[in-house]
Amino acid sequence: MKTMSAHIVVAGGGVAGMEAAGTLAGMGYRVTMIEKDDAPGGHLLQWHALFPDRRPADEVISHFRKHTEHPNLRIITGTTVEKVRNHGSGVLVSLSGGAEEQADAVIVATGFELFDAHRKEEYGYGIYDNVITSADLEAMFNRGLVAKADGSVPSRIGLVHCVGSRDEKVNNNHCSKVCCVTAVKQAIEIRKMLPSCEVFCFYMDMRMYGPYYEELYRESQEYHNVNFIRGKVSEASVNINNRLVIKVEDTLAGRPLKMELDIIVLMVGMEMAGAGMRLAEASGMKRGINRFLESTDHHYGNNLSGLRGVFYAGTCTAPMNITDTISHARAAVTETVKYLNSR
Amino acid sequence: MKPEGKKRIWAEYQKEIPDDHFFYVRSCIRQTFFAGSEQYFLKILRDDLGKDVYEDPRHTTCTGIGYHGDVVPFETIQAVVARHFALATEAGYKHIAISCVTSFGIYSEILETWKHFPETLERTRENLYKATGRTFDVPETISHTSDIIYKFRDQIARKAKYHLIDISTGEPLKVVEHIGCHYSKMFPKYGVGGAEFPHVLVGMVEAWGGDIIDYPERRHCCGFGFRQYLVQANRGYSLFATRKKFESMQPYRPDMIIANCPGCTMFMDRWQYTIREIDGITYGADGQGIPVLTYEEVAGLVLGYNPWELGLQYHNVQSLPLLRKMGIKADPSERFLAKDGSRLPEPENLING
Amino acid sequence: MRVTQSNKFGFTINRSRLIDYDSSDRKVREYVTLREPSFRLCFACGGCTATCTAGQHTSFNLRRMNTFIRRGEIEPLREEVKRCMLCGKCLLVCPRGVNTRNVVAAAAEAIVKLERNEL
Ligand SMILES: Cc1cc2nc3c(=O)[nH]c(=O)nc-3n(C[C@H](O)[C@H](O)[C@H](O)COP(=O)(O)OP(=O)(O)OC[C@H]3O[C@@H](n4cnc5c(N)ncnc54)[C@H](O)[C@@H]3O)c2cc1C
Ligand code: SF4
Ligand code: SF4
Ligand code: SF4
């Protein structure tokens, strides 16, 4: 009974934070979830329909709203977790604005940040009107309108994979895992909204690692006529008609290829979030060469931070889809309870 | 196109360009191809801007073309460049002004090599000392001479007698800029504005009233590319590269091309003649050629210098249509007069008469 | 005329290797996809090419041919389609269930129709 009154702070209110906080509250713990933005939800709030089954993201969001409605769970928004450190038998949590929370355990669920597409200068994001990111495209889906900057209907759209991932030039050698399937999902969405618009995915490898992902890829070819060209786009420019022009090698034909496009969608990757990075620096949490939080063991300790009473959940440790984020958060709950019971 | 996006990139690639006291290193090919450019760089800096620019007659070629043509090894070219640094050190100069993009690329590459592999600097010191008895300081800055004109572009604009404006319509001239691969593709941080959206020539053109054309093959090679040109049988590659650029810029009807690099200016000018001979095509508006000018020539025109003193007549593509648009009065019959007033033989097959 | 000109300089202008998607002709692709919808499913694994008898002793490469059809590069096709013996071995291999044999047949038809201006 003593442990059940333990207080757990969850840093970050994305999928991982909400799963962990709601579950712990349901188990009877006192939980405080601290979210730096105005509302919990994290990146999920930006997405329109989710892979692999294209269900509306709203469904998952309302699931989590319900999951986190619990008398044991206090949600503080607009507040950033700045530092955690061992204090007495528990963990002292420093918040923005100078407040502190005394916790028995902490779950760090600070998530990821989208790669800033400006950094790939050669694609002209922020310069050419019709170069957008996958997140911008989700916003267009949410508005129900995929259009060029001048409002006209596109007749050809290209999705560029691996923007900011698998690229030494931007110091990211890791694969962001979810962007290949996001591209396929978005390609299908476009084809459904605009049946006369051609869609091309420019990929280096098709990494369809999750359940039903490869099937979605097949479906995109079989029923939606999505085109795939294997090659890394090297640059984008505009021609006199303000149409984008890309250069890519069609590596399967072994020849350079040039193509005009109305819209280029950059499939931006996942990076360690800045607020998570600062928390890690201040608290002495280790980070891997990919800058994500590094757990004590890749196989059987991947929720363990190495700090007493501090656990990791979700994409603050590595790129993950929602399903894996939830599983990882549940595992963090298990580790936390195991720790509290052993005290 | 969103101009603020380009401005954001330009802000990220600002390099230190000194204000005064330059040690000038000439290009080995410019003085023959664009006879007035280097002369007018010195004149503009010294007479119009009141700067101190020092030249040493013992300065030689940097051997860059030989280096890129695989006949001069890296050790050798490091020693040649080190010798130039020694001349600068002896004269008490710390800022090098380099009049050629090929050389500028060589200097950048060597300085970076010395930074990352200090043992190569030590070996170069040893080689130079053994060969010539000279010692040197590594310069504090290297600037391409276009960087310097860029730095003073607004001062030049304030003294402008002519602008890059079509006086008959009041519209800005449409200008293609070409920075040359070795200006910033190897080391974006050494170039004003970086490699993808370089600002060095854009800044000049805009300061002097012109409009820049951003066309699809803007970043493509001019066709020099050393290997594709040096061997005669390979020159078809060079021509192909240049034509690709012309085909891409043609729809914009450019009034002129401003180029950064001796090789680029040369190839984009001379190949217009060759392509016309082979394919019968020219790429300017109304069947004309597109004049290709160095930035000093453009600065000189803006400052009101005589186009024939600047040497514009020694280009294959003549600038008469451009001069007319800018309102510059220049008598074409005086183009090929020697200093003593005698008439030089006129070249055949000039483009734009 | 080209010849004399190239003699004048000792070189001429090289040809482009670029696939210019905006000027290439995708009528053959449309025809093949209509005749054999499974053509869409090829994901360029090369299984067919590995097993193909014709490909062992000629430059024939079904995987690459599929790519050329998709990009609208017709020139290389004309010779390629003649090399297939329609033995059907590739059909056994294809993990995406492409009716490869029929793709070649449809491509050959398309080429003939193209020449007759029937596409
Ligand atoms: C373009 C794109 C599309 C995607 N589409 C899908 C899809 O269709 N299906 C799918 O399964 N997955 C999808 N994903 C993956 C999905 O977004 C992630 O799996 C999920 O968002 C991860 O949740 P998280 O809680 O780990 O991180 P986040 O969603 O990033 O949440 C972290 C939260 O922590 C907060 N935070 C950070 N630092 C602090 C701090 N110091 N103090 C307080 N709060 C802090 C943040 O504000 C944020 O709210 C997609 C990803 C991308 C990039
Ligand atoms: S998931 Fe695909 S697009 Fe994303 S980084 Fe990995 S390979 Fe690239
Ligand atoms: S049917 Fe044609 S392509 Fe297929 S294995 Fe036989 S010869 Fe090769
Ligand atoms: S085996 Fe099938 S999927 Fe693989 S390359 Fe051949 S046709 Fe395409």
Side-chain angles (χ1 to χ4, degrees):
Chain A
M1 221 39 228
K2 181 171 156 274
T3 48
M4 290 308 259
S5 67
H7 178 217
I8 299 153
V9 167
V10 177
V15 168
M18 292 188 295
E19 175 62 28
T23 305
L24 285 163
M27 292 164 90
Y29 292 98
R30 283 189 297 122
V31 182
T32 307
M33 182 172 85
I34 297 160
E35 166 55 52
K36 79 171 164 40
D37 291 344
D38 294 338
H43 283 91
L44 186 53
L45 297 176
Q46 296 181 41
W47 313 147
H48 174 66
L50 303 175
F51 59 76
D53 52 4
R54 305 204 295 289
R55 79 193 297 180
D58 285 346
E59 271 181 40
V60 181
I61 293 168
S62 28
H63 159 81
F64 277 114
R65 289 230 169 88
K66 266 195 225 108
H67 184 66
T68 49
E69 257 170 39
H70 196 283
N72 290 351
L73 172 55
R74 182 166 59 119
I75 299 175
I76 303 176
T77 56
T79 304
T80 305
V81 176
E82 291 185 338
K83 184 177 175 176
V84 296
R85 66 187 166 89
N86 289 137
H87 180 72
S89 65
V91 187
L92 190 66
V93 183
S94 313
L95 306 180
S96 55
E100 288 186 335
E101 288 280 335
Q102 179 64 46
D104 295 288
V106 169
I107 291 181
V108 176
T110 48
F112 68 98
E113 223 161 63
L114 289 170
F115 173 78
D116 175 9
H118 292 103
R119 284 169 60 202
K120 288 301 287 176
E121 288 169 21
E122 60 269 40
Y123 298 146
Y125 183 68
I127 294 177
Y128 301 132
D129 297 326
N130 295 302
V131 179
I132 64 173
T133 66
S134 44
D136 298 335
L137 182 60
E138 289 293 315
M140 286 189 181
F141 289 144
N142 279 328
R143 288 197 298 273
L145 180 73
V146 173
K148 293 176 65 175
D150 63 7
S152 60
V153 181
S155 62
R156 195 186 286 159
I157 297 181
L159 286 74
V160 180
H161 290 224
C162 299
V163 176
S165 310
R166 306 176 71 197
D167 184 352
E168 188 206 72
K169 288 289 187 305
V170 293
N171 195 21
N172 286 337
N173 288 323
H174 65 272
C175 163
S176 294
K177 276 173 78 177
V178 299
C179 15
C180 274
V181 59
T182 301
V184 170
K185 176 201 80 172
Q186 294 188 329
I188 294 174
E189 298 278 319
I190 296 169
R191 291 282 301 154
K192 287 177 108 179
M193 280 176 91
L194 305 168
S196 60
C197 179
E198 286 181 282
V199 180
F200 289 84
C201 289
F202 299 95
Y203 68 98
M204 301 202 285
D205 297 282
M206 290 301 291
R207 298 194 161 173
M208 313 306 288
Y209 76 105
Y212 308 113
Y213 292 7
E214 185 64 27
E215 289 87 333
L216 194 70
Y217 173 30
R218 184 182 164 118
E219 184 191 324
S220 75
Q221 290 177 293
E222 190 164 13
Y223 301 112
H224 305 284
N225 245 322
V226 177
N227 300 282
F228 292 85
I229 296 183
R230 185 176 177 280
K232 173 140 181 107
V233 173
S234 71
E235 66 180 65
S237 48
V238 286
N239 67 15
I240 193 154
N241 305 316
N242 201 24
R243 247 189 144 199
L244 293 153
V245 184
I246 52 139
K247 290 187 180 182
V248 65
E249 188 197 0
D250 185 334
T251 59
L252 297 171
R255 282 169 51 191
L257 182 144
K258 173 185 135 254
M259 185 188 282
E260 290 184 13
L261 292 163
D262 292 311
I263 296 179
I264 293 177
V265 185
L266 305 175
M267 308 309 301
V268 284
M270 290 162 108
E271 286 186 328
M272 175 68 182
M277 209 119 75
R278 288 186 289 278
L279 171 61
E281 292 299 320
S283 316
M285 301 174 194
K286 274 223 292 221
R287 288 185 295 122
I289 45 168
N290 57 11
R291 301 189 301 287
F292 287 95
L293 294 173
E294 188 166 60
S295 57
T296 58
D297 187 286
H298 292 302
H299 298 110
Y300 41 76
N302 74 343
N303 300 102
L304 308 183
S305 71
L307 298 180
R308 178 166 53 74
V310 179
F311 303 91
Y312 295 156
T315 54
C316 55
T317 62
M320 290 179 200
N321 63 9
I322 292 170
T323 315
D324 292 350
T325 301
I326 292 173
S327 304
H328 197 243
R330 286 179 186 160
V333 166
T334 308
E335 293 288 359
T336 306
V337 171
K338 209 166 77 185
Y339 164 78
L340 292 173
N341 288 342
S342 71
R343 284 204 305 175
Chain B
M1 197 120 45
K2 302 171 201 142
E4 42 322 332
K6 288 190 182 174
K7 286 186 188 135
R8 197 183 40 77
I9 290 189
W10 295 337
E12 279 169 24
Y13 292 97
Q14 285 302 323
K15 60 183 273 187
E16 191 200 338
I17 307 164
D19 190 56
D20 205 351
H21 305 301
F22 301 99
F23 185 83
Y24 188 48
V25 294
R26 285 188 185 245
S27 150
C28 49
I29 60 174
R30 294 185 88 201
Q31 322 173 54
T32 17
F33 294 147
F34 326 107
S37 289
E38 296 199 326
Q39 214 44 41
Y40 273 83
F41 174 79
L42 293 171
K43 193 169 168 54
I44 291 169
L45 251 79
R46 287 174 179 155
D47 299 352
D48 292 286
L49 301 167
K51 303 294 171 187
D52 164 36
V53 188
Y54 183 83
E55 269 204 283
D56 188 320
R58 293 167 299 174
H59 163 259
T60 66
T61 168
C62 74
T63 70
I65 294 178
Y67 173 59
H68 290 298
D70 279 355
V71 294
V72 174
F74 192 44
E75 279 71 22
T76 310
I77 197 166
Q78 288 180 79
V80 173
V81 167
R83 183 176 162 279
H84 297 162
F85 291 161
L87 296 177
T89 307
E90 285 161 26
Y93 284 82
K94 298 184 173 66
H95 306 300
I96 314 285
I98 304 163
S99 174
C100 166
V101 160
T102 304
S103 288
F104 183 72
I106 298 286
Y107 280 64
S108 314
E109 190 175 343
I110 289 175
L111 289 182
E112 283 295 297
T113 306
W114 289 350
K115 202 182 311 166
H116 293 283
F117 306 95
E119 67 281 7
T120 56
L121 171 59
E122 287 322 304
R123 212 174 308 133
T124 305
R125 287 191 190 284
E126 210 178 295
N127 290 344
L128 183 70
Y129 190 79
K130 277 191 196 148
T132 68
R134 292 177 197 274
T135 58
F136 66 96
D137 295 334
V138 177
E140 282 176 15
T141 68
I142 56 168
S143 306
H144 188 251
T145 42
S146 60
D147 297 340
I148 299 167
I149 298 283
Y150 168 86
K151 184 180 174 90
F152 299 121
R153 67 195 185 284
D154 293 326
Q155 259 161 277
I156 292 172
R158 282 195 285 279
K159 291 171 182 265
K161 298 221 169 50
Y162 299 96
H163 294 94
L164 301 180
I165 287 176
D166 184 339
I167 56 158
S168 68
T169 61
E171 291 291 316
L173 295 181
K174 296 190 289 293
V175 184
V176 160
E177 51 87 37
H178 184 82
I179 54 150
C181 298
H182 289 185
Y183 175 68
S184 63
K185 284 184 190 168
M186 296 186 293
F187 303 104
K189 65 178 176 183
Y190 282 124
V192 176
E196 299 293 342
F197 295 93
H199 192 222
V200 62
L201 299 175
V202 175
M204 292 179 207
V205 168
E206 291 183 347
W208 304 336
D211 260 359
I212 285 288
I213 291 169
D214 193 348
Y215 63 110
E217 296 294 352
R218 174 174 56 78
R219 295 145 167 149
H220 194 70
C221 169
C222 69
F224 186 15
F226 305 101
R227 285 150 205 257
Q228 49 181 335
Y229 172 72
L230 293 174
V231 178
Q232 190 192 31
N234 287 349
R235 287 181 193 163
Y237 294 105
S238 170
L239 271 171
F240 172 76
T242 317
R243 187 178 62 180
K244 192 179 174 79
K245 286 185 82 70
F246 287 138
E247 285 174 347
S248 178
M249 69 178 79
Q250 186 179 28
Y252 298 82
R253 302 169 70 87
D255 294 304
M256 70 167 191
I257 299 171
I258 180 171
N260 210 20
C261 164
C264 307
T265 321
M266 151 85 179
F267 279 85
M268 292 198 290
D269 179 51
R270 305 296 199 267
W271 276 161
Q272 289 192 56
Y273 158 75
T274 312
I275 293 170
R276 188 182 68 174
E277 291 298 299
I278 294 177
D279 273 354
I281 300 174
T282 43
Y283 293 90
D286 313 321
Q288 290 174 317
I290 310 169
V292 188
L293 274 64
T294 68
Y295 46 92
E296 294 106 328
E297 288 167 344
V298 179
L301 288 181
V302 165
L303 287 168
Y305 289 112
N306 180 337
W308 315 142
E309 293 283 322
L310 287 166
L312 294 190
Q313 66 277 41
Y314 297 111
H315 295 232
N316 216 308
V317 182
Q318 296 291 290
S319 301
L320 295 165
L322 173 71
L323 301 178
R324 268 196 300 275
K325 280 184 190 153
M326 289 175 69
I328 297 172
K329 285 182 195 56
D331 183 351
S333 68
E334 289 172 6
R335 275 183 295 179
F336 297 103
L337 290 184
K339 281 277 174 211
D340 63 7
S342 65
R343 200 156 273 283
L344 298 168
E346 288 207 16
E348 293 166 21
N349 282 323
L350 292 173
I351 303 185
N352 301 354
Chain C
M1 160 111 171
R2 247 322 145 89
V3 177
T4 37
Q5 294 299 358
S6 78
N7 285 347
K8 174 171 175 174
F9 294 109
F11 52 89
T12 183
I13 308 178
N14 283 40
R15 279 184 49 167
S16 176
R17 291 192 66 248
L18 187 75
I19 298 177
D20 185 344
Y21 196 80
D22 298 287
S23 61
S24 66
D25 180 354
R26 282 172 302 281
K27 286 202 213 66
V28 171
R29 164 171 145 180
E30 281 159 28
Y31 183 82
V32 171
T33 315
L34 206 67
R35 278 269 277 104
E36 186 44 66
S38 68
F39 174 63
R40 289 180 183 150
L41 279 164
C42 171
F43 61 1
C45 69
C48 50
T49 306
T51 198
C52 171
T53 315
Q56 309 296 319
H57 53 77
T58 71
S59 63
F60 183 57
N61 180 326
L62 185 55
R63 191 266 307 151
R64 195 179 52 210
M65 192 188 91
N66 287 351
T67 308
F68 283 139
I69 294 175
R70 284 172 167 180
R71 305 297 174 252
E73 289 293 303
I74 307 303
E75 266 329 295
L77 274 184
R78 294 181 202 280
E79 285 306 308
E80 288 277 274
V81 288
K82 296 182 193 155
R83 299 209 168 102
C84 165
M85 303 174 293
L86 296 175
C87 70
K89 190 137 187 280
C90 48
L91 274 175
L92 293 172
V93 175
C94 179
R96 277 294 190 89
V98 178
N99 188 340
T100 40
R101 199 168 163 271
N102 206 29
V103 166
V104 185
E109 269 173 37
I111 295 287
V112 173
K113 284 187 184 291
L114 197 70
E115 268 152 20
R116 294 196 193 136
N117 267 330
E118 286 172 14
L119 270 194

